[in-house]
Coordinates of all heavy atoms in Angstrom, one line a residue:
L1 N -118.7 263.4 -53.2 CA -117.6 262.6 -53.8 C -116.7 263.5 -54.7 O -115.5 263.4 -54.7 CB -118.2 261.5 -54.7 CG -119.0 260.4 -54.0 CD1 -119.5 259.4 -54.9 CD2 -118.1 259.7 -52.9
F2 N -117.4 264.5 -55.4 CA -116.6 265.4 -56.2 C -115.7 266.3 -55.3 O -114.6 266.6 -55.6 CB -117.5 266.3 -57.0 CG -117.9 265.7 -58.3 CD1 -118.7 264.6 -58.4 CD2 -117.4 266.2 -59.5 CE1 -119.1 264.0 -59.6 CE2 -117.7 265.6 -60.7 CZ -118.6 264.5 -60.8
A3 N -116.2 266.7 -54.1 CA -115.5 267.5 -53.2 C -114.2 266.7 -52.7 O -113.2 267.3 -52.6 CB -116.3 267.9 -52.0
I4 N -114.4 265.4 -52.5 CA -113.3 264.6 -52.0 C -112.2 264.5 -53.1 O -111.0 264.6 -52.8 CB -113.8 263.2 -51.6 CG1 -114.7 263.3 -50.4 CG2 -112.6 262.2 -51.4 CD1 -115.4 262.0 -50.1
F5 N -112.6 264.3 -54.3 CA -111.7 264.3 -55.4 C -111.0 265.6 -55.6 O -109.8 265.7 -55.9 CB -112.4 263.9 -56.7 CG -112.4 262.4 -57.0 CD1 -113.5 261.6 -56.7 CD2 -111.2 261.8 -57.5 CE1 -113.5 260.3 -56.9 CE2 -111.2 260.4 -57.7 CZ -112.4 259.7 -57.4
A6 N -111.7 266.7 -55.3 CA -111.2 268.0 -55.5 C -110.1 268.3 -54.4 O -109.1 269.0 -54.7 CB -112.2 269.1 -55.3
V7 N -110.2 267.6 -53.3 CA -109.2 267.7 -52.2 C -108.0 266.9 -52.6 O -106.9 267.2 -52.5 CB -109.8 267.3 -50.9 CG1 -108.6 267.2 -49.8 CG2 -110.8 268.2 -50.4
A8 N -108.3 265.7 -53.2 CA -107.2 264.7 -53.5 C -106.4 265.2 -54.7 O -105.1 265.0 -54.6 CB -107.8 263.3 -53.8
L9 N -107.0 265.8 -55.7 CA -106.2 266.1 -56.9 C -105.1 267.1 -56.6 O -104.0 266.9 -57.2 CB -107.1 266.6 -58.0 CG -108.1 265.6 -58.6 CD1 -109.0 266.2 -59.6 CD2 -107.2 264.5 -59.3
P10 N -105.2 268.1 -55.8 CA -104.1 269.0 -55.6 C -103.1 268.6 -54.5 O -102.1 269.2 -54.3 CB -104.8 270.3 -55.1 CG -106.3 270.1 -55.0 CD -106.5 268.6 -55.2
V11 N -103.4 267.4 -53.9 CA -102.5 267.0 -52.8 C -101.0 266.9 -53.2 O -100.2 267.4 -52.4 CB -103.0 265.6 -52.3 CG1 -101.9 264.9 -51.5 CG2 -104.2 265.8 -51.4
P12 N -100.7 266.4 -54.4 CA -99.2 266.4 -54.7 C -98.6 267.7 -54.6 O -97.4 267.8 -54.2 CB -99.2 265.8 -56.1 CG -100.4 265.0 -56.2 CD -101.4 265.7 -55.4
A13 N -99.3 268.8 -55.0 CA -98.7 270.1 -54.9 C -98.6 270.6 -53.5 O -97.8 271.5 -53.1 CB -99.5 271.1 -55.8
V14 N -99.6 270.2 -52.6 CA -99.6 270.6 -51.3 C -98.5 269.9 -50.4 O -98.0 270.5 -49.5 CB -101.0 270.4 -50.6 CG1 -101.0 270.8 -49.2 CG2 -102.1 271.2 -51.4
L15 N -98.3 268.6 -50.7 CA -97.2 267.9 -50.0 C -95.9 268.3 -50.7 O -95.3 267.6 -51.4 CB -97.4 266.4 -50.2 CG -98.7 265.8 -49.6 CD1 -98.8 264.4 -49.8 CD2 -98.7 266.1 -48.1
A16 N -95.5 269.5 -50.4 CA -94.4 270.1 -51.2 C -93.2 270.4 -50.3 O -93.2 270.3 -49.1 CB -94.9 271.4 -51.9
G17 N -92.1 270.8 -51.0 CA -90.9 271.2 -50.3 C -89.9 271.7 -51.3 O -90.1 271.6 -52.5
C18 N -88.9 272.3 -50.8 CA -87.9 272.9 -51.7 C -86.5 272.3 -51.4 O -86.3 271.7 -50.4 CB -87.8 274.4 -51.6 SG -87.1 274.9 -50.0
G19 N -85.6 272.4 -52.4 CA -84.3 271.9 -52.2 C -83.5 272.7 -51.1 O -83.8 273.9 -50.8
G20 N -82.6 272.1 -50.5 CA -81.8 272.8 -49.5 C -81.4 271.9 -48.3 O -81.9 270.8 -48.2
G21 N -80.6 272.4 -47.4 CA -80.3 271.7 -46.2 C -79.1 270.8 -46.3 O -79.1 269.7 -46.9
D22 N -77.9 271.4 -45.9 CA -76.7 270.6 -46.0 C -76.4 269.9 -44.7 O -75.6 269.0 -44.6 CB -75.6 271.5 -46.4 CG -75.4 272.7 -45.5 OD1 -76.3 272.9 -44.6 OD2 -74.6 273.6 -45.8
S23 N -77.1 270.3 -43.6 CA -76.9 269.6 -42.3 C -78.2 269.6 -41.6 O -78.6 270.5 -40.9 CB -75.8 270.3 -41.5 OG -75.6 269.7 -40.2
G24 N -78.9 268.4 -41.7 CA -80.2 268.3 -41.2 C -80.4 268.6 -39.7 O -81.4 269.3 -39.3
S25 N -79.4 268.2 -38.9 CA -79.6 268.4 -37.5 C -79.5 269.8 -37.0 O -79.9 270.1 -35.9 CB -78.6 267.5 -36.7 OG -77.2 267.9 -37.1
S26 N -78.9 270.7 -37.9 CA -78.7 272.1 -37.5 C -79.7 273.0 -38.0 O -79.7 274.2 -37.7 CB -77.3 272.5 -37.9 OG -77.2 272.5 -39.3
E27 N -80.6 272.5 -38.9 CA -81.6 273.4 -39.5 C -82.7 273.8 -38.5 O -83.1 273.1 -37.6 CB -82.3 272.7 -40.7 CG -81.4 272.5 -41.9 CD -82.1 272.2 -43.2 OE1 -83.0 273.0 -43.5 OE2 -81.8 271.2 -43.8
D28 N -83.2 275.1 -38.7 CA -84.2 275.6 -37.8 C -85.5 274.8 -38.0 O -86.0 274.7 -39.2 CB -84.4 277.1 -38.1 CG -85.6 277.6 -37.3 OD1 -85.4 277.8 -36.1 OD2 -86.6 277.9 -37.9
P29 N -86.1 274.3 -37.0 CA -87.3 273.4 -37.2 C -88.5 274.1 -37.8 O -89.2 273.5 -38.6 CB -87.6 272.9 -35.7 CG -86.9 273.9 -34.8 CD -85.7 274.3 -35.6
Q30 N -88.7 275.4 -37.4 CA -89.8 276.1 -38.1 C -89.6 276.3 -39.5 O -90.5 276.3 -40.4 CB -90.0 277.5 -37.4 CG -90.8 277.4 -36.0 CD -92.3 277.1 -36.2 OE1 -92.7 276.8 -37.3 NE2 -93.0 277.1 -35.1
T31 N -88.3 276.6 -39.9 CA -88.0 276.7 -41.3 C -88.2 275.4 -42.1 O -88.8 275.5 -43.2 CB -86.5 277.2 -41.5 OG1 -86.3 278.4 -40.8 CG2 -86.2 277.3 -43.0
V32 N -87.9 274.3 -41.5 CA -88.1 273.0 -42.1 C -89.6 272.8 -42.3 O -90.0 272.4 -43.4 CB -87.5 271.9 -41.3 CG1 -87.9 270.5 -41.9 CG2 -86.0 272.0 -41.2
L33 N -90.4 273.1 -41.3 CA -91.8 272.9 -41.4 C -92.4 273.8 -42.5 O -93.2 273.4 -43.4 CB -92.5 273.2 -40.1 CG -92.3 272.2 -39.0 CD1 -92.9 272.7 -37.7 CD2 -92.8 270.9 -39.3
N34 N -92.0 275.0 -42.6 CA -92.5 276.0 -43.6 C -92.1 275.5 -45.0 O -93.0 275.5 -45.9 CB -91.9 277.4 -43.3 CG -92.4 278.4 -44.3 OD1 -93.6 278.7 -44.4 ND2 -91.6 278.9 -45.1
E35 N -90.9 275.1 -45.2 CA -90.5 274.7 -46.5 C -91.1 273.3 -46.9 O -91.2 273.0 -48.1 CB -89.0 274.6 -46.6 CG -88.3 276.0 -46.5 CD -86.8 276.0 -46.6 OE1 -86.2 274.9 -46.6 OE2 -86.2 277.1 -46.7
T36 N -91.5 272.5 -45.9 CA -92.1 271.2 -46.2 C -93.5 271.4 -46.7 O -94.0 270.7 -47.6 CB -92.0 270.3 -45.0 OG1 -90.7 270.1 -44.6 CG2 -92.7 269.0 -45.3
F37 N -94.3 272.3 -46.0 CA -95.7 272.4 -46.3 C -96.1 273.6 -47.2 O -97.2 273.7 -47.6 CB -96.5 272.6 -45.0 CG -96.5 271.4 -44.1 CD1 -95.8 271.3 -42.9 CD2 -97.2 270.3 -44.5 CE1 -95.8 270.2 -42.1 CE2 -97.2 269.1 -43.8 CZ -96.5 269.1 -42.5
S38 N -95.1 274.4 -47.6 CA -95.4 275.6 -48.4 C -94.4 275.9 -49.5 O -93.7 276.9 -49.5 CB -95.6 276.8 -47.5 OG -96.5 276.6 -46.5
N39 N -94.3 275.0 -50.4 CA -93.4 275.2 -51.5 C -93.9 274.6 -52.8 O -95.0 274.0 -52.8 CB -92.0 274.7 -51.2 CG -91.0 275.8 -51.2 OD1 -90.6 276.3 -52.2 ND2 -90.5 276.2 -50.0
D40 N -93.1 274.8 -53.9 CA -93.7 274.5 -55.2 C -93.2 273.2 -55.9 O -93.5 273.0 -57.0 CB -93.4 275.7 -56.1 CG -91.9 276.0 -56.3 OD1 -91.1 275.3 -55.6 OD2 -91.5 276.9 -57.0
Q41 N -92.4 272.4 -55.2 CA -92.0 271.1 -55.7 C -93.0 270.0 -55.4 O -93.3 269.8 -54.2 CB -90.6 270.7 -55.2 CG -90.0 269.5 -55.9 CD -88.6 269.2 -55.4 OE1 -88.0 270.1 -54.8 NE2 -88.2 268.0 -55.7
S42 N -93.6 269.4 -56.4 CA -94.7 268.5 -56.1 C -94.3 267.1 -56.0 O -93.2 266.7 -56.5 CB -95.8 268.7 -57.3 OG -95.2 268.2 -58.5

C-alpha cells in the first residue's frame, strides 16, 4: 500500500507539460509527446 501511495503522490509532477504551441495542428507530434510527459509544470 505504501508503494502504491509512493507512485500516486508524485503523479501531478509526472503528468506535466510546458507552455507553448501557437498552432496545434502544425506542431511536431514527437515534440508534443516529449513536452507533455517530461516537463516541470505540475
Side-chain angles (χ1 to χ4, degrees):
L1 297 178
F2 273 70
I4 294 172
F5 269 98
V7 172
L9 289 175
V11 160
V14 177
L15 298 177
C18 70
D22 51 1
S23 179
S25 60
S26 63
E27 290 198 55
D28 176 69
Q30 282 289 7
T31 300
V32 174
L33 290 175
N34 181 64
E35 293 184 349
T36 301
F37 291 112
S38 304
N39 241 289
D40 58 0
Q41 187 177 344
S42 65

